[in-house]
Amino acid sequence: MDTDRLVADLHAHTTVSDGTMSLAEVPAVARDADLDWVAITDHDRVHPDLPAPVVDRGGIRIVRGIELRVDAGFERLDLLGYAVEHTEALDAEIDRLQRDREQRGAAILDRVEERLGVDLDLDPRPGLGRPHIARAIDASPAPYDYADAFEELIGDDGPCYVAREVTSLDRGVDLLRDACAIVGLAHPFRYDDVDAALDVARDLDAIERFYPYGRAVDDARVEAIAEEADLLLTGGSDAHEHTLAAAGLTAAAFEPVRERLPDPVSSA
């Protein structure tokens, strides 16, 4: 057995948030990447076409998850919830967040189109995110590619940026604890205040250890905190396109996480 083979990618996005991969495509993409498990963690949304917390589609086990943006006071953080069960409170908050995303998307589109004098041919909708707008800018006659769109227009400090009304940290944790088998902190080294983010993780179930940062990070800090606070180590590629297994868990690393997940339900 190949002990280095990644068997689980626990951070992937689909077309219901800002990914380009549809749920129907996930099993084939996972097989191409030689994966057994994939978690669908769309932004502020639970995928509507996953009928159970874990489903088996053609031998690929798909975990129904969510990536929830929360306001921790010092910074906005991303929480990952795995094996989501629908609760009235979480569903209501997701509905609120999606309405806010739609309104915020409309405001950003108005600013961009007025500034650039172009029609981006993009309608505000639930799940709309800045990557959708950046792709539309890239495809328009405006002299900006995808990266330029974020850098010069719609990034956090850009002239066309509009902030979202996100969930508070305490409420987000409570909502996910009531609905999910596991709640963790995503990509801890992507935050401005890494130490404060790591302190937040101490009170969760897990922390994302394996992630394709594209730069050197101090993974030993994550492992030390996980050991001190008895946290699970998760990992995934944060896939937004049709590529999985840029990061993830080997069979041995996945086993403690697997023990906390419910058994898969067969689903066409």
Side-chain angles (χ1 to χ4, degrees):
M1 183 177 69
D2 183 0
T3 57
D4 294 327
R5 180 175 78 90
L6 299 185
V7 301
D9 184 331
L10 300 182
H11 193 161
H13 300 276
T14 72
T15 51
V16 305
S17 63
D18 59 351
T20 62
M21 179 171 53
S22 71
L23 182 62
E25 294 173 306
V26 169
V29 175
R31 278 191 289 271
D32 286 345
D34 201 22
L35 291 169
D36 300 327
W37 292 74
V38 178
I40 300 302
T41 53
D42 283 309
H43 295 286
D44 302 327
R45 206 166 186 198
V46 177
H47 202 293
D49 296 329
L50 288 172
V54 184
V55 302
D56 186 325
R57 290 195 170 170
I60 302 298
R61 274 77 86 189
I62 302 177
V63 179
R64 188 168 68 187
I66 186 171
E67 184 172 11
L68 184 69
R69 176 67 54 88
V70 296
D71 189 344
F74 63 90
E75 194 170 348
R76 292 184 172 189
L77 307 177
D78 292 316
L79 302 180
L80 292 167
Y82 295 111
V84 182
E85 292 276 14
H86 286 283
T87 66
E88 185 175 340
L90 179 59
D91 287 347
E93 182 65 359
I94 288 171
D95 287 345
R96 184 194 72 79
L97 290 168
Q98 292 307 316
R99 289 193 300 272
D100 180 71
R101 275 185 173 273
E102 188 168 355
Q103 294 163 3
R104 181 252 201 155
I108 293 177
L109 285 169
D110 286 345
R111 292 187 181 189
V112 170
E113 290 179 340
E114 180 178 358
R115 185 178 184 88
L116 302 183
V118 298
D119 181 356
L120 295 180
D121 192 27
L122 189 64
D123 294 324
R125 58 171 176 77
L128 182 71
R130 283 184 289 173
H132 296 105
I133 298 172
R135 292 180 196 123
I137 293 170
D138 191 359
S140 79
Y144 298 91
D145 63 16
Y146 182 92
D148 292 337
F150 272 96
E151 182 69 24
E152 301 185 35
L153 296 170
I154 64 174
D156 290 359
D157 298 321
C160 301
Y161 174 72
V162 178
R164 292 197 294 117
E165 294 294 329
V166 304
T167 311
S168 70
L169 171 63
D170 289 345
R171 176 155 175 74
V173 171
D174 287 345
L175 288 170
L176 294 185
R177 281 202 185 283
D178 287 344
C180 303
I182 300 168
V183 181
L185 177 70
H187 41 60
F189 293 105
R190 284 186 56 183
Y191 306 116
D192 292 333
D193 192 336
V194 173
D195 289 332
L198 291 173
D199 281 341
V200 167
R202 291 176 183 275
D203 294 323
L204 303 177
D205 305 314
I207 186 168
E208 194 166 48
R209 157 67 175 82
F210 304 97
Y211 185 85
Y213 291 100
R215 56 186 170 85
V217 296
D218 189 0
D219 294 323
R221 290 176 66 190
V222 172
E223 293 175 355
I225 287 171
E227 185 172 358
E228 293 168 11
D230 194 25
L231 302 177
L232 296 169
L233 296 174
T234 67
S237 58
D238 201 357
H240 284 74
E241 299 183 356
H242 290 67
T243 302
L244 293 169
L249 301 176
T250 64
F254 180 56
E255 184 55 33
V257 177
R258 171 66 187 94
E259 290 175 358
R260 295 279 295 272
L261 298 174
D263 290 335
V265 173
S266 295
S267 173

